[in-house]
Amino acid sequence: MIRYRNVHKAFDIPVLTGVDMSVETGEMFALFGPSGAGKSVLLKTTLGLIVPDRGDVEVDGVSLYHGPSDALEKVRRKVGYVFQHAALFDSLNVLENVSIGLPEQVLARMKRAEVARKVWDALEIVNLEPREILAKLPSELSGGMKKRVGIARAIVGRPEILLWDEPTTGLDPVNTAAVERLIARLSHELEVTSLIVTHDVEGGLSICDRVAMLHSGTLRFSGTPQEFRDSPDPVVQAFVDRAAAVAALDMATA
C-alpha cells in the first residue's frame, strides 16, 4: 500500500539518507527511532507535507513525485492523518474541526445535516459523546478528548490509510493505553492500513503486525515485533532496553 523508495531529505543537515520501506495493505505498521531520526519527516512525505529532495513515495501503486500531476490530490483523498498534538483549530468548535476531515469536493455537495451526521458518527466511533461536545471549543476539552477529536477528523472521510504521528505524546500511561487500544480497534473495524510513528515502543509492539526502526536517517530494522525484540543488532537492543527502562519509570511515577 505504501512504498518509500530511496527517500532523502535534509534541513541544513541530512535527516533521511536513502530510506527504503514498505507497508503492506491492511497491516498495522509501527515506526520507531530516537528523536531526530526522521520518523515524522518520513511520514509527512506520504502526503506531500514534506517533499523529498530525492527518491519517491508510492501509495497504492501511484507515484507521488514522479507520477501524474494529480497523483498527490488523489492520494490525499484516501488518507487520514492524525497529528502529534491533535492540531485542532482553536477558533472552531468540535463539529467544525471534525468536518474539515471530509474531502472538499464531498463537503461542498453535502447539506449541513449530512455533515453533522458524519461528524456525529465519527465521534461515537472514537468513544466520545457527540451531544456533549459538538459545540465545544478545543480549549474546553481535556488532552485525551482533543486526541480523540483529532482521530475523529482523520476517520470521518472513511480513508483507506491512516497515518498516526506520535498519537500518544503528552498522555499519561492510562490514556496512552486507551488510545493504543482505540488505534488497534479502528484499524481492524475500518479495515485500513495504519502506519504509526510512536515513541511508545512497548505499545507499538503490542498492537502492530510489523515494525521498523530509523537510525541516523536510514532504516536500521524492519520485521515482526518478536524479531525486533530478539534482534542481535546492538543499536536495536540498546534502543529496546532504553525504551523499556523509560516505560517502567513512567509507570512507577504515574
Side-chain angles (χ1 to χ4, degrees), residues 165-216:
D165 190 0
E166 298 280 11
T168 60
T169 294
L171 298 180
D172 59 64
V174 173
N175 276 315
T176 292
V179 169
E180 287 168 346
R181 289 194 298 271
L182 178 61
I183 291 171
R185 178 171 66 81
L186 290 177
S187 296
H188 290 296
E189 288 183 1
L190 301 179
E191 298 181 338
V192 297
T193 301
S194 280
L195 173 55
I196 308 162
V197 166
T198 180
H199 67 282
D200 182 12
V201 176
E202 288 302 317
L205 290 172
S206 69
I207 65 174
C208 288
D209 303 303
R210 288 194 302 134
V211 303
M213 177 181 166
L214 287 180
H215 181 76
S216 299

Side-chain angles (χ1 to χ4, degrees), residues 39-51:
K39 305 183 297 298
S40 292
V41 172
L42 185 66
L43 195 71
K44 287 180 170 66
T45 65
T46 321
L47 276 179
L49 299 177
I50 290 177
V51 178

Side-chain angles (χ1 to χ4, degrees), residues 3 16 58 72 97 217:
R3 186 183 300 274
L16 301 173
E58 295 177 3
L72 193 56
N97 264 291

